[in-house]
Structure formats: structure tokens, C-alpha cells
Amino acid sequence: MSEPADKIAFIYDQSVLRSFELKLADKDLAFLDANPAAEQYVMGSLVFEGKEYSPVGIRYKGSIGAWVGCVANSTQRDPLNIGGAKTCPKLSMKVSFNEYNPDGKFFGVKKLVFHSMNSDSSLMKERLGYWLFRQMGVPASRAVHVRLLINGKYQGVFLNVEEVDSRFTRSHFADGEGNLYKEIWPTSVDGLTAPLTAE
């Protein structure tokens, strides 16, 4: 299976380490930092190769595992309490080009996803996993390391992981117009220990 030759393909060149910068008001960054698990967008811009894309939606992203030990309420005594302020130096982020502009896109994609890889000291497992799936002919997200800055301050190395959406299916499948399903994780801490309802 060959890699898709779509507009965004150059972003996933495995031989290049690209830089992205997110710009947002200090009050909006403070809002995000106060409760990352809320996953609420704020307005900002993305700078890539000297060009600024604006307005975009910016938020932290993750599931329960992403917040354990990385938010103030997640303590050794109560690790699954996923509220409170950011405590880890970096957290995964999502940039939405269509949050404030329904037609907004970045080289054909609506979202960019930057994984912090906080649970992987090698910073390689996820990228290699996706690459291995693709090498075996399984359609999987393209992924590449990037440098991420926020308001001019270097945040570290993140993994830019291709968002799985309708554009992904059209790029990776000959007939990508069918249904796309996403798994649902428990929506509360109780969901981890109590049976989930059908709803």
C-alpha cells in the first residue's frame, strides 16, 4: 500500500523535523491550563513556515490516561480524578481550522493533532507503531515528530498524528465514502469501575 499523495502528504515527510507555533492570548492560555480535561477550544492562530493561519481553535486533548498525573486533582491517592490545573510540562494539543470558520482547512485537513508522548520516554513507540501498520498494508495515521512552540516558547518534541476523519478515509481508501466509527471511552471516572449503561 502506497502513502496517499494528498495535499498534506509533505507534512509527514519522515526525514524532516518541522516547527509549528501556536499563538493565543495569555488569558486564553491560562483558561486552558486551568482545566485541560475540559477540552474546550479558545481562539488563536498557527504559524507554519512563516505564514500565520487564523482564526483557529486550540485546546488540549486526551482521554483519562492523558490526564493521570498531569492535572492537579490527579494524585497518588486519587489518580483518576482528572480535573484541575495542568501540572505536566506538556500536554497533547488539537488545532481546529474549522472551529471558527466552517470552511477552514490547512493543506486540506480540518485538524492537526500534536501528541505529547508523556508516557513514552523513547518518544518513538507511537510513530513506529503507525509506520509498522502502514508497512503491513493497514491504513493507519501518518505520524512525524515536530517542534512545538506556544507564544514563542519552545514546548518540546511532539508527534503530529494524522486525524482520522472523512478526509482520511477518502485519502486512504479507494471508496472512502462509507461510515466512520470512533470508539467511546468511559465518559466519567465512574465509568471505569461501574458498568456502563447502554446510553
Side-chain angles (χ1 to χ4, degrees):
M1 172 179 280
S2 61
E3 296 283 354
D6 51 10
K7 290 182 192 176
I8 196 73
F10 79 99
I11 293 287
Y12 300 106
D13 182 336
Q14 299 294 303
S15 66
V16 179
L17 180 66
R18 300 185 188 280
S19 295
F20 293 83
E21 181 179 0
L22 303 178
K23 290 185 175 181
L24 59 165
D26 289 341
K27 68 176 179 57
D28 290 332
L29 181 57
F31 172 80
L32 294 179
D33 287 346
N35 188 9
E39 295 187 320
Q40 294 182 335
Y41 284 109
V42 297
M43 189 180 292
S45 62
L46 176 129
V47 178
F48 175 69
E49 296 186 345
K51 183 174 179 183
E52 189 163 333
Y53 299 83
S54 181
V56 300
I58 299 170
R59 69 170 173 87
Y60 290 117
K61 72 164 289 287
S63 59
I64 289 177
W67 313 123
V68 171
C70 282
V71 291
N73 294 354
S74 178
T75 63
Q76 284 188 333
R77 297 185 82 188
D78 192 8
L80 299 180
N81 186 346
I82 58 166
K86 173 186 172 187
T87 58
C88 283
K90 64 179 189 174
L91 293 173
S92 298
M93 307 206 68
K94 182 174 275 194
V95 179
S96 173
F97 295 88
N98 65 338
E99 180 68 15
Y100 300 107
N101 173 6
D103 299 321
K105 291 187 180 173
F106 177 79
F107 295 98
V109 301
K110 297 175 185 175
K111 310 270 191 302
L112 285 179
V113 177
F114 301 113
H115 286 185
S116 64
M117 304 174 289
N118 284 337
S119 299
D120 177 12
S121 58
S122 74
L123 304 183
M124 289 298 296
K125 293 176 183 175
E126 192 174 2
R127 180 174 176 176
L128 288 172
Y130 284 124
W131 176 84
L132 183 59
F133 274 113
R134 293 195 315 277
Q135 292 302 302
M136 294 188 300
V138 178
S141 295
R142 292 169 284 187
V144 66
H145 289 94
V146 299
R147 297 173 70 252
L148 186 66
L149 296 91
I150 297 179
N151 293 340
K153 183 179 177 185
Y154 177 62
Q155 302 298 305
V157 174
F158 285 70
L159 191 67
N160 177 7
V161 179
E162 183 179 17
E163 174 88 347
V164 177
D165 57 11
S166 57
R167 185 223 41 93
F168 174 94
T169 62
R170 288 191 300 274
S171 290
H172 289 77
F173 296 92
D175 179 12
E177 295 297 328
N179 294 335
L180 176 64
Y181 298 96
K182 181 176 180 179
E183 84 287 356
I184 298 296
W185 289 77
T187 55
S188 70
V189 173
D190 289 341
L192 292 176
T193 55
L196 293 175
T197 65
E199 185 177 322

